[in-house]
PDB file of all heavy atoms in Angstrom:
ATOM      1  N   ARG A 418       3.664  21.636 -16.586  1.00  0.00           N
ATOM      2  CA  ARG A 418       3.313  21.772 -18.003  1.00  0.00           C
ATOM      3  C   ARG A 418       4.435  21.221 -18.940  1.00  0.00           C
ATOM      4  O   ARG A 418       4.305  21.093 -20.175  1.00  0.00           O
ATOM      5  CB  ARG A 418       2.952  23.108 -18.385  1.00  0.00           C
ATOM      6  CG  ARG A 418       1.601  23.566 -17.773  1.00  0.00           C
ATOM      7  CD  ARG A 418       1.224  25.028 -18.314  1.00  0.00           C
ATOM      8  NE  ARG A 418       0.010  25.502 -17.600  1.00  0.00           N
ATOM      9  CZ  ARG A 418       0.006  26.580 -16.853  1.00  0.00           C
ATOM     10  NH1 ARG A 418       1.116  27.265 -16.521  1.00  0.00           N
ATOM     11  NH2 ARG A 418      -1.157  26.948 -16.240  1.00  0.00           N
ATOM     12  N   GLY A 419       5.499  20.838 -18.354  1.00  0.00           N
ATOM     13  CA  GLY A 419       6.760  20.425 -19.020  1.00  0.00           C
ATOM     14  C   GLY A 419       6.643  18.939 -19.400  1.00  0.00           C
ATOM     15  O   GLY A 419       5.614  18.282 -19.090  1.00  0.00           O
ATOM     16  N   PRO A 420       7.714  18.331 -19.850  1.00  0.00           N
ATOM     17  CA  PRO A 420       7.757  16.955 -20.129  1.00  0.00           C
ATOM     18  C   PRO A 420       7.450  16.056 -18.854  1.00  0.00           C
ATOM     19  O   PRO A 420       7.823  16.464 -17.779  1.00  0.00           O
ATOM     20  CB  PRO A 420       9.300  16.641 -20.565  1.00  0.00           C
ATOM     21  CG  PRO A 420       9.698  18.004 -21.064  1.00  0.00           C
ATOM     22  CD  PRO A 420       9.025  19.043 -20.092  1.00  0.00           C
ATOM     23  N   LEU A 421       6.913  14.990 -19.064  1.00  0.00           N
ATOM     24  CA  LEU A 421       6.412  14.037 -17.938  1.00  0.00           C
ATOM     25  C   LEU A 421       7.588  13.654 -17.076  1.00  0.00           C
ATOM     26  O   LEU A 421       8.718  13.347 -17.505  1.00  0.00           O
ATOM     27  CB  LEU A 421       5.816  12.745 -18.445  1.00  0.00           C
ATOM     28  CG  LEU A 421       5.359  11.763 -17.415  1.00  0.00           C
ATOM     29  CD1 LEU A 421       4.162  12.394 -16.612  1.00  0.00           C
ATOM     30  CD2 LEU A 421       4.940  10.486 -18.027  1.00  0.00           C
ATOM     31  N   ASP A 422       7.420  13.796 -15.766  1.00  0.00           N
ATOM     32  CA  ASP A 422       8.448  13.383 -14.796  1.00  0.00           C
ATOM     33  C   ASP A 422       7.739  12.861 -13.551  1.00  0.00           C
ATOM     34  O   ASP A 422       6.491  12.914 -13.419  1.00  0.00           O
ATOM     35  CB  ASP A 422       9.482  14.457 -14.493  1.00  0.00           C
ATOM     36  CG  ASP A 422       8.903  15.694 -13.715  1.00  0.00           C
ATOM     37  OD1 ASP A 422       7.780  15.519 -13.197  1.00  0.00           O
ATOM     38  OD2 ASP A 422       9.603  16.794 -13.723  1.00  0.00           O
ATOM     39  N   ALA A 423       8.505  12.435 -12.552  1.00  0.00           N
ATOM     40  CA  ALA A 423       8.022  11.870 -11.303  1.00  0.00           C
ATOM     41  C   ALA A 423       7.277  12.777 -10.472  1.00  0.00           C
ATOM     42  O   ALA A 423       6.361  12.505  -9.740  1.00  0.00           O
ATOM     43  CB  ALA A 423       9.151  11.095 -10.616  1.00  0.00           C
ATOM     44  N   GLY A 424       7.689  14.035 -10.589  1.00  0.00           N
ATOM     45  CA  GLY A 424       7.013  15.082  -9.805  1.00  0.00           C
ATOM     46  C   GLY A 424       5.521  15.249 -10.224  1.00  0.00           C
ATOM     47  O   GLY A 424       4.650  15.376  -9.417  1.00  0.00           O
ATOM     48  N   GLN A 425       5.384  15.255 -11.552  1.00  0.00           N
ATOM     49  CA  GLN A 425       4.010  15.289 -12.098  1.00  0.00           C
ATOM     50  C   GLN A 425       3.181  14.146 -11.688  1.00  0.00           C
ATOM     51  O   GLN A 425       1.973  14.337 -11.333  1.00  0.00           O
ATOM     52  CB  GLN A 425       4.026  15.465 -13.613  1.00  0.00           C
ATOM     53  CG  GLN A 425       4.680  16.728 -14.151  1.00  0.00           C
ATOM     54  CD  GLN A 425       4.819  16.676 -15.632  1.00  0.00           C
ATOM     55  OE1 GLN A 425       4.178  15.960 -16.365  1.00  0.00           O
ATOM     56  NE2 GLN A 425       5.795  17.415 -16.051  1.00  0.00           N
ATOM     57  N   ILE A 426       3.741  12.958 -11.845  1.00  0.00           N
ATOM     58  CA  ILE A 426       2.981  11.777 -11.333  1.00  0.00           C
ATOM     59  C   ILE A 426       2.600  11.834  -9.856  1.00  0.00           C
ATOM     60  O   ILE A 426       1.387  11.463  -9.579  1.00  0.00           O
ATOM     61  CB  ILE A 426       3.860  10.470 -11.588  1.00  0.00           C
ATOM     62  CG1 ILE A 426       4.001  10.303 -13.199  1.00  0.00           C
ATOM     63  CG2 ILE A 426       3.170   9.227 -10.977  1.00  0.00           C
ATOM     64  CD1 ILE A 426       5.044   9.121 -13.539  1.00  0.00           C
ATOM     65  N   ALA A 427       3.508  12.260  -9.051  1.00  0.00           N
ATOM     66  CA  ALA A 427       3.164  12.401  -7.708  1.00  0.00           C
ATOM     67  C   ALA A 427       2.000  13.413  -7.365  1.00  0.00           C
ATOM     68  O   ALA A 427       1.153  13.113  -6.567  1.00  0.00           O
ATOM     69  CB  ALA A 427       4.492  12.740  -6.869  1.00  0.00           C
ATOM     70  N   VAL A 428       2.156  14.534  -8.052  1.00  0.00           N
ATOM     71  CA  VAL A 428       1.113  15.542  -7.796  1.00  0.00           C
ATOM     72  C   VAL A 428      -0.179  15.021  -8.370  1.00  0.00           C
ATOM     73  O   VAL A 428      -1.286  15.206  -7.647  1.00  0.00           O
ATOM     74  CB  VAL A 428       1.452  16.805  -8.609  1.00  0.00           C
ATOM     75  CG1 VAL A 428       0.249  17.850  -8.522  1.00  0.00           C
ATOM     76  CG2 VAL A 428       2.670  17.476  -7.822  1.00  0.00           C
ATOM     77  N   GLY A 429      -0.261  14.389  -9.547  1.00  0.00           N
ATOM     78  CA  GLY A 429      -1.542  13.815 -10.012  1.00  0.00           C
ATOM     79  C   GLY A 429      -2.137  12.901  -9.045  1.00  0.00           C
ATOM     80  O   GLY A 429      -3.365  12.947  -8.778  1.00  0.00           O
ATOM     81  N   CYS A 430      -1.356  11.916  -8.495  1.00  0.00           N
ATOM     82  CA  CYS A 430      -1.831  10.977  -7.505  1.00  0.00           C
ATOM     83  C   CYS A 430      -2.287  11.679  -6.176  1.00  0.00           C
ATOM     84  O   CYS A 430      -3.318  11.193  -5.633  1.00  0.00           O
ATOM     85  CB  CYS A 430      -0.844   9.966  -7.267  1.00  0.00           C
ATOM     86  SG  CYS A 430      -0.475   8.876  -8.791  1.00  0.00           S
ATOM     87  N   ALA A 431      -1.579  12.616  -5.802  1.00  0.00           N
ATOM     88  CA  ALA A 431      -2.008  13.388  -4.521  1.00  0.00           C
ATOM     89  C   ALA A 431      -3.396  14.080  -4.716  1.00  0.00           C
ATOM     90  O   ALA A 431      -4.221  13.920  -3.822  1.00  0.00           O
ATOM     91  CB  ALA A 431      -0.948  14.370  -4.168  1.00  0.00           C
ATOM     92  N   LEU A 432      -3.485  14.774  -5.839  1.00  0.00           N
ATOM     93  CA  LEU A 432      -4.803  15.487  -6.075  1.00  0.00           C
ATOM     94  C   LEU A 432      -5.952  14.460  -6.193  1.00  0.00           C
ATOM     95  O   LEU A 432      -7.089  14.718  -5.797  1.00  0.00           O
ATOM     96  CB  LEU A 432      -4.612  16.369  -7.290  1.00  0.00           C
ATOM     97  CG  LEU A 432      -3.628  17.504  -7.118  1.00  0.00           C
ATOM     98  CD1 LEU A 432      -3.619  18.239  -8.445  1.00  0.00           C
ATOM     99  CD2 LEU A 432      -3.934  18.417  -5.954  1.00  0.00           C
ATOM    100  N   GLY A 433      -5.656  13.263  -6.885  1.00  0.00           N
ATOM    101  CA  GLY A 433      -6.612  12.275  -7.105  1.00  0.00           C
ATOM    102  C   GLY A 433      -7.061  11.635  -5.728  1.00  0.00           C
ATOM    103  O   GLY A 433      -8.318  11.473  -5.426  1.00  0.00           O
ATOM    104  N   TYR A 434      -6.062  11.539  -4.737  1.00  0.00           N
ATOM    105  CA  TYR A 434      -6.516  11.061  -3.474  1.00  0.00           C
ATOM    106  C   TYR A 434      -7.281  12.154  -2.648  1.00  0.00           C
ATOM    107  O   TYR A 434      -8.279  11.743  -2.002  1.00  0.00           O
ATOM    108  CB  TYR A 434      -5.237  10.742  -2.612  1.00  0.00           C
ATOM    109  CG  TYR A 434      -5.513  10.061  -1.344  1.00  0.00           C
ATOM    110  CD1 TYR A 434      -5.976   8.716  -1.252  1.00  0.00           C
ATOM    111  CD2 TYR A 434      -5.531  10.823  -0.165  1.00  0.00           C
ATOM    112  CE1 TYR A 434      -6.314   8.172  -0.104  1.00  0.00           C
ATOM    113  CE2 TYR A 434      -5.833  10.180   1.097  1.00  0.00           C
ATOM    114  CZ  TYR A 434      -6.269   8.874   1.075  1.00  0.00           C
ATOM    115  OH  TYR A 434      -6.485   8.249   2.272  1.00  0.00           O
ATOM    116  N   LEU A 435      -7.039  13.415  -2.839  1.00  0.00           N
ATOM    117  CA  LEU A 435      -7.814  14.379  -2.262  1.00  0.00           C
ATOM    118  C   LEU A 435      -9.258  14.343  -2.753  1.00  0.00           C
ATOM    119  O   LEU A 435     -10.253  14.497  -1.919  1.00  0.00           O
ATOM    120  CB  LEU A 435      -7.258  15.798  -2.511  1.00  0.00           C
ATOM    121  CG  LEU A 435      -5.884  16.153  -1.873  1.00  0.00           C
ATOM    122  CD1 LEU A 435      -5.490  17.587  -2.130  1.00  0.00           C
ATOM    123  CD2 LEU A 435      -5.900  15.936  -0.325  1.00  0.00           C
ATOM    124  N   ASP A 436      -9.422  14.196  -4.062  1.00  0.00           N
ATOM    125  CA  ASP A 436     -10.864  13.991  -4.600  1.00  0.00           C
ATOM    126  C   ASP A 436     -11.495  12.711  -3.965  1.00  0.00           C
ATOM    127  O   ASP A 436     -12.670  12.783  -3.713  1.00  0.00           O
ATOM    128  CB  ASP A 436     -10.798  13.933  -6.064  1.00  0.00           C
ATOM    129  CG  ASP A 436     -10.624  15.267  -6.748  1.00  0.00           C
ATOM    130  OD1 ASP A 436     -10.760  16.276  -6.073  1.00  0.00           O
ATOM    131  OD2 ASP A 436     -10.361  15.249  -7.995  1.00  0.00           O
ATOM    132  N   PHE A 437     -10.715  11.622  -3.887  1.00  0.00           N
ATOM    133  CA  PHE A 437     -11.265  10.421  -3.471  1.00  0.00           C
ATOM    134  C   PHE A 437     -11.694  10.393  -2.045  1.00  0.00           C
ATOM    135  O   PHE A 437     -12.826   9.887  -1.676  1.00  0.00           O
ATOM    136  CB  PHE A 437     -10.231   9.343  -3.710  1.00  0.00           C
ATOM    137  CG  PHE A 437     -10.598   7.892  -3.337  1.00  0.00           C
ATOM    138  CD1 PHE A 437     -11.694   7.326  -3.812  1.00  0.00           C
ATOM    139  CD2 PHE A 437      -9.768   7.111  -2.480  1.00  0.00           C
ATOM    140  CE1 PHE A 437     -12.032   6.035  -3.504  1.00  0.00           C
ATOM    141  CE2 PHE A 437     -10.139   5.799  -2.165  1.00  0.00           C
ATOM    142  CZ  PHE A 437     -11.230   5.309  -2.605  1.00  0.00           C
TER     143      PHE A 437
END
Side-chain angles (χ1 to χ4, degrees):
R418 293 183 182 115
L421 180 69
D422 68 16
Q425 295 172 23
I426 292 170
V428 170
C430 292
L432 297 178
Y434 187 75
L435 294 181
D436 279 349
F437 180 54

